[in-house]
Amino acid sequence: MESKLLFFFSALGVFNSLVLSAYFLFFKKNSSTRDYLTGALLLLFTVRVGVSCFYFFESVPVFLIYAGMAANLLLGPTLYYLCRSFQEKEFRFGRPELFHYLIISSVILITSFLFPFKTWDWTIRFFLHGLLTAYLGYIALKWHKLFTNTLFSGEKADKSQKKITLIYLASVLVCLGFAVSLLISYIAGPLLYSLIFYGTIALYFKIAKSEALNYQHNKIDDKQFNTVNSQLTALMEVERIYKNPDLKLDTLAAQLKINKHLLSQLLNNNLSKSFYQYINEYRVHEACNQLKENSTYSVEAIGYEVGFNSRSAFFSSFKKITGKTPSEYRKHFSTVK
């Protein structure tokens, strides 16, 4: 009976994190790079912890243990890119990031062929944990100011800072659980993961709820909104300021002669859009017009013309807003004509 209870509580977190991972990866509407990375991180934790959970209660095939160790190695770069996605508003998962994963995957494959399972199970296991620790340490050094400011500033930190700090700390605790499970018992890791998973979910929703309440209390009044919004619309539709690839929130706020926090509040609270979402919608709309009317320009040239500073950012935003790639969109309208 005790064994069944241990299995139930240790597997409960694994199962629910798998469900949440599937939501972010496949079912969430208008998914962003951050959503996909969140889903990938949850999936890696699910595989890593799930293998330990089943390994404790019964023997599992060798390839599953390899999968668990591979997931352990991929956790580091995935958490790093997730942190970047919170800090860099236009972060896109491109070729350099893919190459990073390919190198790590190659190391895993080569190691599995060159070394027998006994070596993998003991010697290489500690190497993989060491490499994961190196990634966690690098992330802490790179964003230590963000993490410390969030932890000690309390309510003053914005929701993105709170969320990524929470995710990072939860990941560190789970990884410590991996180390503890090596020294004590394999079941310690899965049990700790279940506790941390549900605790993190509860805190995550608490942050989201507090932000929603703040938005309700801080909403700009109608008169001020109408004044600023009309000026903003003129800048977009008449001057087409969105074509500037270096356009930033503070630059636009300066044009409007208002505080950047007021502009951010107007966009997020009154229009329910982030700054980059708002700007990119104008860029994509202009790109759609050019793709329909200008057949001499290449797709990439149009992307740069409307204000995007990279091909990947253009294609990603265009697909997210229209449901088609720029090439598919142009082909569709050329066929209609």
Side-chain angles (χ1 to χ4, degrees):
M1 183 64 180
E2 182 181 348
S3 178
K4 290 181 178 179
L5 284 173
L6 277 175
F7 180 78
F8 173 77
F9 285 113
S10 60
L12 192 61
V14 173
F15 173 76
N16 284 307
S17 67
L18 179 62
V19 173
L20 191 58
S21 169
Y23 166 73
F24 279 110
L25 290 172
F26 305 110
F27 301 108
K28 189 176 185 297
K29 294 181 179 179
N30 301 319
S31 294
S32 62
T33 301
R34 183 188 302 175
D35 294 324
Y36 288 123
L37 286 169
T38 302
L41 185 70
L42 282 167
L43 180 61
L44 291 170
F45 273 126
T46 300
V47 173
R48 174 63 182 85
V49 179
V51 170
S52 293
C53 182
F54 285 97
Y55 187 75
F56 177 80
F57 291 99
E58 57 182 271
S59 60
V60 296
V62 172
F63 78 89
L64 282 181
I65 297 177
Y66 284 159
M69 291 297 96
N72 194 83
L73 187 55
L74 293 171
L75 280 169
T78 304
L79 181 60
Y80 167 72
Y81 289 129
L82 181 58
C83 289
R84 278 187 59 186
S85 72
F86 272 89
Q87 292 304 296
E88 301 173 20
K89 299 298 184 182
E90 286 199 350
F91 173 75
R92 295 289 181 269
F93 195 89
R95 291 180 181 178
E97 292 77 23
L98 181 60
F99 186 65
H100 187 175
Y101 275 89
L102 287 174
I103 291 175
I104 295 174
S105 300
S106 299
V107 170
I108 296 168
L109 289 172
I110 293 170
T111 305
S112 64
F113 282 112
L114 291 181
F115 296 95
F117 170 68
K118 187 174 181 180
T119 306
W120 247 79
D121 197 34
W122 297 105
T123 306
I124 295 178
R125 182 188 300 274
F126 289 97
F127 166 75
L128 297 180
H129 280 284
L131 197 55
L132 175 57
T133 303
Y135 271 105
L136 294 174
Y138 177 74
I139 293 169
L141 287 173
K142 186 174 177 64
W143 287 294
H144 69 280
K145 289 184 178 180
L146 183 151
F147 296 144
T148 53
N149 288 341
T150 304
L151 289 172
F152 295 108
S153 64
E155 294 300 320
K156 294 181 181 180
D158 64 39
K159 66 175 181 179
S160 292
Q161 292 175 330
K162 291 178 183 177
K163 286 178 180 178
I164 193 55
T165 301
L166 174 63
I167 292 171
Y168 175 75
L169 292 178
S171 299
V172 170
L173 288 175
V174 172
C175 293
L176 283 174
F178 295 164
V180 169
S181 68
L182 290 176
L183 301 173
I184 302 176
S185 171
Y186 270 93
I187 200 60
L191 284 172
L192 183 61
Y193 178 73
S194 291
L195 291 173
I196 294 170
F197 174 76
Y198 291 113
T200 303
I201 293 297
L203 288 173
Y204 197 91
F205 279 111
K206 184 179 179 181
I207 292 170
K209 185 178 179 180
S210 66
E211 289 296 326
L213 290 173
N214 287 337
Y215 284 161
Q216 290 177 5
H217 292 306
N218 297 327
K219 202 166 185 178
I220 297 172
D221 63 74
D222 291 341
K223 184 178 179 180
Q224 188 179 23
F225 168 73
N226 291 333
T227 301
V228 177
N229 189 49
S230 62
Q231 295 171 347
L232 180 60
T233 303
L235 281 176
M236 293 296 117
E237 298 182 359
V238 179
E239 298 188 29
R240 297 185 180 183
I241 195 174
Y242 57 83
K243 287 192 172 185
N244 176 9
D246 298 319
L247 184 63
K248 298 290 188 294
L249 179 68
D250 51 359
T251 308
L252 184 57
Q255 289 267 14
L256 293 165
K257 297 180 181 179
I258 62 172
N259 185 285
K260 68 176 183 179
H261 297 294
L262 180 65
L263 176 57
S264 178
Q265 186 179 325
L266 181 146
L267 292 171
N268 284 279
N269 299 354
N270 295 76
L271 300 180
S272 300
K273 296 177 183 178
S274 68
F275 168 73
Y276 286 103
Q277 183 183 357
Y278 180 80
I279 298 299
N280 287 341
E281 284 180 0
Y282 273 100
R283 289 170 175 168
V284 169
H285 178 72
E286 176 67 18
C288 288
N289 291 333
Q290 293 201 29
L291 286 167
K292 287 188 284 186
E293 299 168 4
N294 195 338
S295 60
T296 58
Y297 275 31
S298 67
V299 168
E300 289 80 3
I302 289 175
Y304 289 116
E305 170 66 21
V306 300
F308 288 100
N309 55 18
S310 72
R311 181 182 183 277
S312 60
F314 174 44
F315 273 61
S316 177
S317 296
F318 196 97
K319 179 77 179 284
K320 183 177 179 180
I321 292 170
T322 68
K324 295 183 175 69
T325 66
S327 300
E328 290 171 344
Y329 189 88
R330 168 176 273 177
K331 185 178 180 181
H332 171 75
F333 278 96
S334 63
T335 304
V336 171
K337 288 181 179 179

